[in-house]
Amino acid sequence: MKESIRKFVILLLIVIGLGVFGLNAFFLFSSSLGKRSEIIYIASIIIQTLVGICTCVMVLKKSKKVSYLFTGLSLILIALMDFFVSFVFSYTIWQWWPVYGLFLSIILLICGIYKYKKLKFGFIIPAITIFCMCGWYTLFSFKIIKIPFMTVVWHLGIAFLFVVAAFLIFFFFLQQNHKELVISDEDSGSFEDETSSVLRVDD
């Protein structure tokens, strides 16, 4: 397969996958599904999974672009979770939505390791941030913490900001005496060196 054709196929798969993802999201947030709508929903979940698999196969075989790999893996994961949330688990999407973020953060970390063969701050920091935030929201969505979320935000929000600010200041001064803690360009890592968007096809 020619390079230009292969890139076009990957782009087409991603566009189709995102379109089906939007359709699945509509069904997922619908209050109730009729028999016909349920069949269409299951079919679209299967299509999204297959599109994600095809994208990953093409990326791993030739492209090696981690942004495409992240998109393909995300389509697979979200499709599978949509199925379990809708037809297996007793909880609703309004309770499960933070769990999506937990798994997506893990995929982001895996993609960073795949690309650089080691951990990079450009992937570690956002992955850990997303994981912690979604883990925090999960405690409230599943009623593990029974206090209303807004009550906790109201009382602890300002304190949390002060703690973050204090940590950043402390880390800055620590870097002055420990140069090994300074993050260099080589250690940062990001999607930017391969594409500014998952929909860009030129190298």
Side-chain angles (χ1 to χ4, degrees), residues 47-65:
I47 293 173
Q48 181 177 324
T49 304
L50 293 176
V51 168
I53 292 174
C54 291
T55 302
C56 291
V57 169
M58 295 191 68
V59 170
L60 294 174
K61 184 177 180 180
K62 189 69 177 178
S63 176
K64 305 300 182 183
K65 285 193 173 183

Side-chain angles (χ1 to χ4, degrees), residues 167-201:
F167 171 78
L168 293 176
I169 294 173
F170 172 76
F171 187 73
F172 171 77
F173 284 108
L174 196 63
Q175 285 179 319
Q176 307 308 306
N177 297 322
H178 299 275
K179 298 301 181 183
E180 65 274 12
L181 295 178
V182 178
I183 302 174
S184 63
D185 291 338
E186 294 182 355
D187 293 327
S188 60
S190 68
F191 289 138
E192 293 179 359
D193 56 345
E194 62 176 34
T195 178
S196 59
S197 170
V198 296
L199 297 181
R200 181 180 172 184
V201 295

Side-chain angles (χ1 to χ4, degrees), residues 19-30 41 44 48 78 82 93:
V20 178
F21 163 77
L23 178 63
N24 288 340
F26 170 78
F27 284 122
L28 188 63
F29 285 94
S30 297
Y41 181 34
S44 63
Q48 181 177 324
I78 293 173
D82 286 350
I93 183 58

Side-chain angles (χ1 to χ4, degrees), residues 7-200:
K7 290 179 180 179
F8 175 77
V9 171
I10 293 178
L11 173 62
L12 182 62
L13 286 171
I14 291 175
V15 171
I16 293 173
L18 294 177
V20 178
F21 163 77
L23 178 63
N24 288 340
F26 170 78
F27 284 122
L28 188 63
F29 285 94
S30 297
S31 56
S32 61
L33 293 175
K35 192 65 178 180
R36 182 175 299 179
S37 298
E38 187 175 294
I39 295 175
I40 296 174
Y41 181 34
I42 294 175
S44 63
I45 288 177
I46 295 174
I47 293 173
Q48 181 177 324
T49 304
L50 293 176
V51 168
I53 292 174
C54 291
T55 302
C56 291
V57 169
M58 295 191 68
V59 170
L60 294 174
K61 184 177 180 180
K62 189 69 177 178
S63 176
K64 305 300 182 183
K65 285 193 173 183
V66 72
S67 54
Y68 294 156
L69 179 62
F70 176 79
T71 304
L73 290 174
S74 298
L75 289 173
I76 297 171
L77 169 72
I78 293 173
L80 294 176
M81 290 195 66
D82 286 350
F83 176 79
F84 282 102
V85 170
S86 300
F87 302 107
V88 179
F89 299 137
S90 58
Y91 296 100
T92 66
I93 183 58
W94 303 106
Q95 295 167 300
W96 269 99
W97 71 265
V99 181
Y100 283 71
L102 292 176
F103 284 102
L104 289 175
S105 65
I106 295 174
I107 289 178
L108 179 62
L109 193 61
I110 292 174
C111 288
I113 296 174
Y114 168 78
K115 180 177 181 179
Y116 295 103
K117 308 304 184 217
K118 63 178 181 178
L119 295 173
K120 288 280 190 174
F121 284 101
F123 288 85
I124 295 176
I125 301 303
I128 292 179
T129 301
I130 296 172
F131 187 89
C132 291
M133 290 180 62
C134 291
W136 176 245
Y137 292 139
T138 301
L139 298 177
F140 292 93
S141 64
F142 285 99
K143 306 299 182 182
I144 297 174
I145 296 179
K146 300 187 182 302
I147 304 174
F149 177 72
M150 292 308 300
T151 301
V152 176
V153 171
W154 178 259
H155 289 87
L156 298 182
I158 297 178
F160 174 76
L161 293 177
F162 274 112
V163 170
V164 172
F167 171 78
L168 293 176
I169 294 173
F170 172 76
F171 187 73
F172 171 77
F173 284 108
L174 196 63
Q175 285 179 319
Q176 307 308 306
N177 297 322
H178 299 275
K179 298 301 181 183
E180 65 274 12
L181 295 178
V182 178
I183 302 174
S184 63
D185 291 338
E186 294 182 355
D187 293 327
S188 60
S190 68
F191 289 138
E192 293 179 359
D193 56 345
E194 62 176 34
T195 178
S196 59
S197 170
V198 296
L199 297 181
R200 181 180 172 184

